[in-house]
Amino acid sequence: MQASIKARVPKSNIAANASFPPLVREETCRRDFTTYVQAAVVTLFLLFASETLPLPDHPLSPRYMSSPDRVRRKPNILVTGTPGTGKTTTCSLVAEATELRHINVSELVKQKNLHDGWDDEFHCHVINEDLVCDELEDIMEEGGNIVDYHGCDFFPERWFDRVVVLQTDNSVLYDRLASRGYMGPKLTNNIECEIFQVLLEEAKTSYPEDIVMALQSDCVDDISRNVTTMVEWTKNWIPSS
Ligand SMILES: Nc1ncnc2c1ncn2[C@@H]1O[C@H](COP(=O)(O)OP(=O)(O)OP(=O)(O)O)[C@@H](O)[C@H]1O
């Protein structure tokens, strides 16, 4: 989960330290007792100061340190699944009913150029996962988001309280994607992805199993039932203390 680690470190720190890894490693090996004492004093000072001072983006600043434990007042939901399974339709309905902020990652990537160019074979942008995580870090920490993307293993695990994987019968999905103009490898790859339940496996290996939920999305009734389930869950969600 390199992206998640990187996403926790403010961009400015990543840039500043980008050329230093060899030096840091050497210095670690050479540490003596005095260096440890100095580090402890600096750490204690920063911890004390963090209560009162608006420290800049330092790895020991409150922004960095409190991230994993900060209590969200509203939950974050990730809705994932193969393209065409109904993520955007479902998320926009849930967002309307709950006032969660709908984040369509594919749209965000296009709008903010969070990509490494265009893939001619699959006719899509090549997402830059680090840029996406950096872009979303602060709003995800606040909570109250429903994130929609056909992938899930690069987001930090701590962002989500519930991960929903939408699934669609292969023949239904084939027709849906074909009617959207998908063809060739883009069409077959997505259908294979659905047959082998790639997204469900990815979700189960990336998040605690008890927050991952698979929901069928073959017809309009399924959408309506799934929206009701997710709205109910959101309304009953209790922040962990
Ligand atoms: N359960 C469903 N029943 C009927 N139609 C559906 C269902 N789910 C999605 N559709 C239809 O399939 C098309 C694709 O839906 P949608 O854009 O919500 O999927 P998506 O998973 O967000 O796709 P992508 O990942 O490409 O953005 C839309 O025309 C939508 O109306």
Side-chain angles (χ1 to χ4, degrees):
M1 293 282 282
Q2 197 182 0
S4 64
I5 295 164
K6 205 165 177 183
R8 255 190 270 165
V9 182
K11 272 187 227 163
S12 51
N13 287 1
I14 294 168
N17 293 331
S19 57
F20 291 161
L23 284 179
V24 172
R25 272 200 296 275
E26 278 173 23
E27 199 172 82
T28 307
C29 299
R30 278 202 229 117
R31 268 193 180 167
D32 56 18
F33 182 70
T34 317
T35 319
Y36 275 117
V37 172
Q38 281 170 352
V41 170
V42 170
T43 303
L44 284 172
F45 168 75
L46 284 168
L47 280 173
F48 173 74
S50 70
E51 295 296 318
T52 48
L53 298 175
L55 292 177
D57 282 348
H58 183 280
L60 286 170
S61 74
R63 179 176 186 271
Y64 177 82
M65 294 194 70
S66 63
S67 293
D69 302 322
R70 188 180 288 179
V71 177
R72 290 192 278 271
R73 296 280 146 229
K74 285 183 178 178
N76 288 326
I77 304 177
L78 171 63
V79 179
T80 187
T82 308
T85 48
K87 298 180 296 294
T88 304
T89 312
T90 306
C91 287
S92 53
L93 290 167
V94 174
E96 245 174 61
T98 56
E99 297 185 346
L100 291 180
R101 186 192 293 119
H102 178 191
I103 299 172
N104 181 328
V105 173
S106 301
E107 288 301 318
L108 186 78
V109 166
K110 275 189 261 170
Q111 280 165 12
K112 304 233 166 182
N113 286 324
L114 309 175
H115 58 79
D116 295 324
W118 182 254
D119 184 317
D120 283 330
E121 188 183 1
F122 292 101
H123 306 282
C124 59
H125 287 107
V126 180
I127 185 173
N128 184 317
E129 298 169 351
D130 289 346
L131 289 181
V132 170
C133 289
D134 286 349
E135 179 71 31
L136 291 177
E137 176 64 24
D138 289 343
I139 31 182
M140 294 307 295
E141 241 187 53
E142 268 173 36
N145 302 291
I146 182 160
V147 175
D148 153 5
Y149 190 59
H150 53 267
C152 61
D153 61 352
F154 65 92
F155 299 121
E157 186 185 324
R158 68 194 151 77
W159 277 3
F160 297 107
D161 304 290
R162 173 63 87 193
V163 176
V164 173
V165 184
L166 295 182
Q167 298 190 298
T168 301
D169 176 82
N170 307 323
S171 55
V172 176
L173 186 64
Y174 188 98
D175 292 343
R176 259 188 226 160
L177 292 179
S179 71
R180 283 169 76 180
Y182 281 36
M183 56 178 92
K186 190 169 181 174
L187 178 57
T188 49
N189 266 45
N190 282 318
I191 296 299
E192 281 170 14
C193 186
E194 190 60 8
I195 291 171
F196 292 111
Q197 303 201 326
V198 171
L199 265 306
L200 182 58
E201 287 310 310
E202 191 174 307
K204 283 181 176 172
T205 52
S206 308
Y207 300 91
E209 280 218 31
D210 62 332
I211 72 161
V212 177
M213 176 194 255
L215 296 175
Q216 201 62 24
S217 176
D218 292 343
C219 59
V220 174
D221 282 351
D222 287 340
I223 294 188
S224 154
R225 195 171 38 249
N226 296 340
V227 169
T228 305
T229 303
M230 291 162 73
V231 169
E232 285 302 306
W233 180 85
T234 305
K235 287 185 175 161
N236 293 327
W237 182 78
I238 300 166
S240 55
S241 49

